[in-house]
Amino acid sequence: MKVRFRFSKLGKVRFTSHRDLARMWERAFRRVALPLAYTQGFSPRPRVSFGLALPTGAESVAEYLDVELAAGTSADVAALPGRLSPVLPTGIDVLATATLEAGAASLQHEVTSCSWLVETSGLSPDELQERVAAALAAGSLEIDRERKGQRSVQDVRPGILACEVDGTTLVAELATQPRALRPSELLIAVAGGLEEVRVRRTSQWIQRDGARQEPIRLSTDATDAPHAVRRAS
Amino acid sequence: MDPIRSFRGDGGDQFLPVHIQLGEDRRSQLGELRRAPGLLGLLEPGEQAAHSVVIGDEKGQCVLVVRSDGTHRTYPHAIRGKPLQGGICLPGCSLGPAHRPNGSRRYTFSQMTSLWPRIEPILAKVQKPARYIGCEDGAQEPVHAPHKVAWLLVYPDAYEIGLPNQGLQILYEILNERPDAVAERSYAPWTDMEAELRRRGVPLFSVDTHRAAGDFDLIAFNLSAELVYTNVLNCIDLAGVPVRAAERGPEHPLIAAGGHCTFNPEPLADFVDLFVIGDGEEAVAEVTEAVAAWKTGGRGAGSRQRVLRDLAGVPGVYVPSMYDVAYDGERLVSVTPRFADVPERVEKRTIADLNEWPYPKNQLVPLTEVVHDRLNVEIFRGCTRGCRFCQAGMITRPVRERSSEQVRSMVSAGLQRTGYDEVSLTSLSSADYSGIEDVVGGIITDPMCQGSVGVSLPSLRVDAYTVGIASEIAKVRRTGLTFAPEGGTWRMRQVINKLIREEDLYGAAESAFSQGWQRMKLYFLIGLPTETDEDVLGIAELARRCAAIGHKHSRRVTVGASVGGFVPKPQTPFQWFGQDTAAYLRAKVNLLKDTVRRDRGVTLKWHDPQATLAEGLASRGDRRMGAVIEDVWRNGGVFQEWSEHFDIRLWESAMERNGLSIDWYVYRHRTEDEVLPWDHISAGLHKDFLWQDWQDALAASGVEDCRWTPCYDCGACTGFGIEHVVASPVPPAGGSQGTGQDLSTGGTVPVRLLASKPVLTP
């Protein structure tokens, strides 16, 4: 049985890394004695897979985790958020769960874009408005990108699916395929000297029947998750 | 008491009200409020709050506002930078003029302040920001109050090294359980963080509530290694406190220190107001009471001297400023108390029964990677194996075992609470614990552990028996095996009294490799007293023969020999020994490197001999070494135990500038009649016992473990009226080390040490 979790990462805990997050989850699963499937081998690890890594320091109300339960076991999926949230650090809250069909595609494979709130400093709201409009009008936006130590100049304009300005905050949808565009790269593409103050991932999107949707929808407004924001803050 | 204690003009543009006053009728909401996000403190009944107050998170998103009339309201959609209606302000905003008591100056409430809004923007710019956020499971957010003594417990090294420290965690819990104390934690900020803090004028802070270090009554350092001394000075300076104790006034916190290094406190005597020698569990209570009197007395002019004088009378507390030091040229003549009520000799504190102190009860579970990231349960304290190089074994006597029932319940509760899948049963020699097999077996077969909990035993004795225990453990998870023979030949091991026979080691190797282990690590020291080339080459021989035993079972077996340079430590039989020169140590390392070069399956690692030299300076220095430590720090020498920051030239030039001789402090053999800088600090050991043991060492004569054989009156038990607490009256099965061997092979004529050390050119 495979279970998908949607969770938040808000407040101080956002300064932990992706690796740190994996360890927090492993301890939480042990604390509630949820039987997980383990990898074979010398040093068995639980079969868990996180979606796209969140940059250290960024917040999110749309993180996902797929977990495979030990063979022959099952769990009351609807009860899991209530069991797990209290044993996770403040700021990490399980917002929703869903059972995955056998053979469901991985998050990394399915997610095509993410929505972000990027609070900036360095430009006035008017200047920011102007630069964003110019960037969106441009045919291409070439920036220096680095990946695994390899530097290359790439056009990131196709990766900016949407970008609105609200005061000094950017509300953007950035593509994750073929390669995920990071909020920090968006800022470089929009204007030099623009600094990120606070970044929050509000949605991850998959394509179903020609329309985009979240891997798990929340019953309330998905981009807000107000109770989680409150608890973390 | 006026909550406004000090003005800060350094860009303190944030007004951060954090205390809450509730009317008696609202006290029922206390539980709810304590859990409120961003809450930094609650006022006790009767205390005055100057303003209506705000609880906000670090984003400035106000969640709950409590007014001074006790009513409260939530503002879930507050926006940073926009004041709420009603004159209430948010963290990160300036309070309007009407709400500034003097209307003109910007200031913060020093005792009420969280620095988080100023720290948060820095965290995006530094490595490993999770080092600075706190939030560990088990972390406390204590409620500060004028009648509570506020301790800041600092581990003066990086977070990932300091967080697991058990001593600090034990005191953190004990203090926070007291009604008259609160305790928070801090760690040395890494160099990138330090640069940002200094650039922005942000002081050292606690990770629990991000409070400025200078706002605590005591800043207490854990001293587990000498090379952190320059970090201690750096932390004091970052706290905004003068580094020299003599320059501090009543407005400054007291600087305290505890831990193994305080058995020679003199190198830090100029910087630390008080040292607590020995076990801290009980002593912190008496220190808290003395400091509480100082705090409630208003910390007026001259009060600092008074409280230090009071503290000097607390058993186990050493206040260096209460002692005069006399020299005759290079020679130390005396350390004498300046007042009749100050003790001539400070005896260490020892807790008699470990079962009365089942701490930590809520071990901290860090959110980010640290060393020893597992549940740690201390199974006994003290060790009487009598290894002569080992300071820990000498200064923590007698042996005090925790009952096996308490060990089991601490393990079981700890695993359940933390979610760890590994527990370490800690002590100085865990296989010597009475009934260790039962305890280990109980853990790995405990149904709650689902057969998936690993057990690690640090400091394993070397013999096949302990491998038997290890193989039980390895049914769950197999890690490397580590043994510490320390010396390369039987003669050498008799000198240091680490009485492992070659057959013990080979038996352990045969047992381990036949059961499928692929890796074995062996720890050795070089630069030991009377060491010859033959002893050094013996290290290679042992490693090579272990590898050969392994290769009978698998071609992939590797044996790693780690070689550290020996630093003689205070309060041990080797305290009189002249340390090997860095050049000589390097020559010995080179000899080993050449020897094992062609050996299949043997790898060699060694410690930087120059770091060994610096550690030697800090270990056995007297009070004059303080100037050297300060000099190294002022020239940028921090994190000296990290190879990327260590620089021997800083130490050498500091010694030269201060007119001190490395040869005299480190390389020279000391004499029996010499006054040692730590003679006025007592670990309970008689000096004539240590000298006799030193003579026995030179005669290559071993002594047995007194846990199971008659007492030879080292002084640790008799002096304090405490005895070993050991459940088993007989030595553990198979434990040959120091018990039952034929020790008659030691020479009867002591080796004579050369007057000066051989000097080699590198």
Side-chain angles (χ1 to χ4, degrees):
Chain A
M1 180 180 182
K2 265 192 169 182
V3 184
R4 176 165 289 174
F5 294 83
R6 175 171 176 172
F7 63 97
S8 66
K9 187 182 183 190
L10 294 164
K12 290 178 181 175
V13 75
R14 74 183 187 276
F15 290 109
T16 57
S17 69
H18 194 63
R19 271 165 58 95
D20 295 336
L21 193 71
R23 276 193 299 269
M24 289 174 214
W25 274 97
E26 281 185 36
R27 287 194 300 263
F29 286 132
R30 280 195 295 267
R31 285 178 68 178
V32 300
L34 191 68
L36 302 187
Y38 275 77
T39 59
Q40 299 294 308
F42 204 62
S43 175
R45 311 297 313 168
R47 286 189 188 276
V48 297
S49 86
F50 290 85
L52 302 155
L54 188 67
T56 300
E59 292 187 314
S60 177
V61 291
E63 292 308 287
Y64 289 93
L65 165 66
D66 290 348
V67 172
E68 191 178 331
L69 300 188
T73 65
S74 64
D76 177 0
V77 171
L80 284 175
R83 288 170 66 193
L84 281 160
S85 289
V87 298
L88 284 160
T90 301
I92 311 268
D93 266 286
V94 183
L95 307 175
T97 47
T99 309
L100 283 190
E101 321 244 322
S106 74
L107 288 161
Q108 222 120 15
H109 201 248
E110 268 205 306
V111 171
T112 53
S113 66
C114 296
S115 293
W116 300 88
L117 284 178
V118 188
E119 200 182 318
T120 68
S121 69
L123 291 180
S124 71
D126 289 345
E127 287 170 323
L128 186 61
Q129 191 74 261
E130 215 170 279
R131 300 303 295 263
V132 168
L136 291 177
S140 74
L141 291 168
E142 296 204 322
I143 65 163
D144 238 356
R145 297 181 87 178
E146 198 178 320
R147 190 186 213 181
K148 291 179 182 159
Q150 297 276 346
R151 299 192 77 102
S152 62
V153 175
Q154 288 184 1
D155 177 16
V156 295
R157 176 62 191 86
I160 306 173
L161 305 181
C163 188
E164 289 169 17
V165 181
D166 176 9
T168 54
T169 299
L170 300 180
V171 184
E173 186 182 343
L174 305 179
T176 59
Q177 313 263 14
R179 180 179 156 186
L181 183 60
R182 292 161 158 265
S184 57
E185 292 171 330
L186 170 70
L187 296 195
I188 294 169
V190 167
L194 200 53
E195 284 202 46
E196 58 182 55
V197 175
R198 205 162 176 110
V199 176
R200 181 181 294 172
R201 177 143 73 188
T202 52
S203 294
Q204 299 193 35
W205 301 108
I206 59 177
Q207 303 296 323
R208 280 288 146 77
D209 309 323
R212 64 169 205 183
Q213 67 175 59
E214 292 256 8
I216 306 178
R217 270 185 259 210
L218 295 182
S219 48
T220 56
D221 182 2
T223 58
D224 191 22
H227 76 277
V229 173
R230 256 201 309 284
R231 183 177 182 267
S233 51
Chain B
M1 181 180 172
D2 185 356
I4 304 164
R5 229 173 42 205
S6 69
F7 289 92
R8 290 172 193 272
D10 51 345
D13 55 348
Q14 285 122 357
F15 184 93
L16 302 162
V18 290
H19 277 205
I20 290 171
Q21 188 182 33
L22 290 173
E24 268 313 312
D25 54 326
R26 314 293 294 189
R27 301 292 288 183
S28 60
Q29 291 174 325
L30 210 61
E32 178 196 335
L33 286 172
R34 275 190 206 284
R35 289 192 299 275
L39 177 65
L40 299 173
L42 288 170
L43 294 181
E44 294 298 312
E47 292 171 36
Q48 294 299 308
H51 302 281
S52 58
V53 292
V54 177
I55 307 171
D57 71 355
E58 66 277 12
K59 295 190 290 284
Q61 275 177 314
C62 175
V63 175
L64 181 66
V65 175
V66 180
R67 304 190 187 89
S68 50
D69 64 2
T71 59
H72 74 275
R73 187 182 156 189
T74 55
Y75 292 86
H77 301 298
I79 297 164
R80 186 212 297 266
K82 292 183 184 166
L84 290 167
Q85 297 301 307
I88 296 164
C89 88
L90 293 170
C93 305
S94 296
L95 198 69
H99 295 273
R100 285 187 193 154
N102 73 356
S104 58
R105 294 184 66 173
R106 292 166 162 190
Y107 61 87
T108 55
F109 282 147
S110 67
Q111 78 177 108
M112 290 183 151
T113 298
S114 167
L115 293 169
W116 179 252
R118 296 171 68 191
I119 295 163
E120 189 182 29
I122 305 176
L123 295 187
K125 302 179 191 308
V126 298
Q127 298 171 40
K128 302 187 185 174
R131 286 165 166 166
Y132 310 106
I133 62 173
C135 299
E136 304 89 348
D137 193 349
Q140 308 195 30
E141 297 192 1
V143 180
H144 290 243
H147 67 277
K148 291 183 179 182
V149 172
W151 291 72
L152 181 65
L153 307 176
V154 187
Y155 194 96
D157 202 339
Y159 177 84
E160 56 269 36
I161 308 296
L163 180 112
N165 184 273
Q166 295 293 290
L168 193 147
Q169 293 197 25
I170 289 168
L171 299 184
Y172 177 65
E173 289 190 13
I174 289 174
L175 288 166
N176 278 321
E177 283 178 9
R178 292 180 64 88
D180 60 352
V182 293
E184 301 197 28
R185 298 164 294 127
S186 186
Y187 306 89
W190 195 246
T191 48
D192 58 346
M193 184 67 175
E194 183 198 339
E196 290 289 339
L197 292 177
R198 289 192 186 277
R199 196 163 69 76
R200 297 163 190 240
V202 179
L204 183 73
F205 54 87
S206 69
V207 297
D208 303 282
T209 69
H210 295 95
R211 194 170 297 249
D215 289 350
F216 288 79
D217 302 306
L218 283 140
I219 302 179
F221 290 92
N222 176 304
L223 302 179
S224 296
E226 292 84 358
L227 286 180
V228 302
Y229 287 175
T230 57
N231 280 14
V232 171
L233 270 60
N234 202 37
C235 288
I236 297 172
D237 186 58
L238 277 169
V241 175
V243 292
R244 291 205 159 253
E247 290 162 22
R248 292 176 201 142
E251 71 276 24
H252 296 119
L254 296 168
I255 305 297
H260 287 184
C261 295
T262 62
F263 280 85
N264 175 21
E266 292 304 283
L268 288 182
D270 290 345
F271 317 107
V272 173
D273 294 308
L274 65 138
F275 292 90
V276 177
I277 316 294
D279 296 337
E281 282 92 340
E282 293 169 343
V284 290
E286 290 141 73
V287 172
T288 297
E289 281 154 23
V291 176
W294 178 54
K295 187 175 188 179
T296 52
R299 284 167 62 160
S303 66
R304 194 178 180 90
Q305 286 308 306
R306 185 65 251 166
V307 68
L308 287 173
R309 181 88 169 265
D310 292 345
L311 284 164
V314 174
V317 173
Y318 171 58
V319 180
S321 60
M322 300 288 151
Y323 294 77
D324 285 324
V325 183
Y327 306 98
D328 174 13
E330 284 182 316
R331 215 163 52 83
L332 175 66
V333 176
S334 63
V335 181
T336 43
R338 292 169 52 207
F339 308 100
D341 56 345
V342 173
E344 274 179 39
R345 199 169 148 85
V346 178
E347 299 282 349
K348 71 164 179 179
R349 294 296 288 264
T350 305
I351 56 164
D353 185 358
L354 206 55
N355 292 303
E356 286 177 18
W357 303 96
Y359 294 91
K361 295 171 181 168
N362 292 296
Q363 186 188 310
L364 295 165
V365 184
L367 301 186
T368 187
E369 204 161 5
V370 302
V371 300
H372 311 309
D373 195 3
R374 57 192 171 221
L375 184 68
N376 292 293
V377 174
E378 186 184 25
I379 57 174
F380 68 88
R381 198 173 293 180
C383 180
T384 43
R385 284 287 174 188
C387 304
R388 292 172 175 135
F389 56 87
C390 177
Q391 189 190 36
M394 291 290 161
I395 63 177
T396 59
R397 297 171 174 208
V399 172
R400 289 146 291 157
E401 288 187 355
R402 193 184 294 287
S403 75
S404 55
E405 299 79 59
Q406 192 174 66
V407 169
R408 280 197 204 97
S409 68
M410 286 175 76
V411 169
S412 162
L415 290 172
Q416 174 66 42
R417 188 189 70 81
T418 60
Y420 276 127
D421 62 350
E422 184 181 357
V423 56
S424 179
L425 303 176
T426 67
S427 75
L428 292 169
S429 178
S430 292
D432 288 338
Y433 180 79
S434 303
I436 185 71
E437 320 90 310
D438 293 346
V439 170
V440 169
I443 295 166
I444 55 186
T445 57
D446 185 337
M448 198 217 84
C449 300
Q450 303 163 322
S452 64
V453 170
V455 182
S456 66
L457 300 174
S459 311
L460 268 189
R461 219 175 44 219
V462 184
D463 51 49
Y465 170 77
T466 56
V467 175
I469 300 177
S471 68
E472 274 296 300
I473 294 167
K475 285 175 189 157
V476 176
R477 198 172 308 118
R478 182 156 297 188
T479 50
L481 265 187
T482 302
F483 293 116
E486 309 288 3
T489 58
W490 171 244
R491 189 200 71 81
M492 190 76 260
R493 293 191 296 275
Q494 282 189 301
V495 169
I496 63 177
N497 205 40
K498 182 106 190 186
L499 299 168
I500 295 161
R501 295 167 303 186
E502 281 177 32
E503 54 264 42
D504 293 331
L505 179 63
Y506 300 146
E510 173 65 35
S511 175
F513 294 131
S514 67
Q515 293 182 66
W517 264 279
Q518 302 278 347
R519 277 184 305 136
M520 177 187 265
K521 265 196 283 184
L522 298 174
Y523 284 174
F524 293 98
L525 287 168
I526 53 169
L528 291 162
T530 76
E531 186 176 66
T532 63
D533 282 0
E534 191 190 334
D535 298 314
V536 175
L537 291 170
I539 292 171
E541 182 62 20
L542 287 184
R544 186 184 290 140
R545 300 234 346 227
C546 284
I549 291 168
H551 290 148
K552 287 190 297 180
H553 299 282
S554 162
R555 292 180 54 80
R556 288 167 47 207
V557 159
T558 57
V559 174
S562 287
V563 179
F566 173 58
V567 178
K569 291 290 162 87
Q571 319 275 3
T572 69
F574 288 170
Q575 63 185 354
W576 289 279
F577 173 65
Q579 185 173 323
D580 268 9
T581 62
Y584 198 24
L585 286 176
R586 189 169 300 288
K588 289 177 177 178
V589 167
N590 287 339
L591 179 62
L592 273 176
K593 272 162 62 181
D594 288 345
T595 310
V596 302
R597 182 161 294 152
R598 282 179 221 288
D599 284 317
R600 189 166 62 90
V602 176
T603 58
L604 186 72
K605 278 190 191 164
W606 60 93
H607 191 65
D608 177 4
Q610 293 183 322
T612 306
L613 164 58
E615 189 183 329
L617 285 168
S619 291
R620 289 191 298 169
D622 55 29
R623 217 172 261 210
R624 291 169 290 193
M625 197 55 64
V628 173
I629 291 164
E630 183 174 350
D631 188 313
V632 171
W633 165 64
R634 290 206 184 276
N635 285 290
V638 292
F639 288 105
Q640 290 295 284
E641 68 285 23
W642 295 72
S643 56
E644 66 258 52
H645 289 297
F646 176 74
D647 185 354
I648 191 63
R649 288 168 305 180
L650 290 173
W651 294 86
E652 286 171 342
S653 57
M655 287 295 283
E656 202 175 313
R657 268 195 291 279
N658 286 282
L660 299 176
S661 153
I662 291 175
D663 191 60
W664 193 84
Y665 274 97
V666 182
Y667 299 147
R668 174 181 67 95
H669 297 305
R670 285 150 172 79
T671 55
E672 186 180 8
D673 58 349
E674 195 169 334
V675 176
L676 300 172
W678 50 90
D679 275 350
H680 58 298
I681 305 296
S682 167
L685 304 165
H686 300 317
K687 200 171 178 183
D688 59 358
F689 159 77
L690 290 175
W691 181 261
Q692 184 56 50
D693 208 32
W694 172 223
Q695 297 308 301
D696 285 349
L698 295 177
S701 169
V703 295
E704 294 192 298
D705 189 324
C706 64
R707 241 173 302 193
W708 304 293
T709 58
C711 172
Y712 34 77
D713 193 22
C714 70
C717 296
T718 48
F720 299 116
I722 293 173
E723 293 207 351
H724 299 308
V725 181
V726 181
S728 169
V730 292
S736 64
Q737 185 185 322
T739 47
Q741 290 112 319
D742 177 10
L743 298 176
S744 61
T745 50
T748 48
V749 182
V751 173
R752 295 184 72 86
L753 291 166
L754 298 170
S756 61
K757 308 290 286 188
V759 177
L760 300 179
T761 45

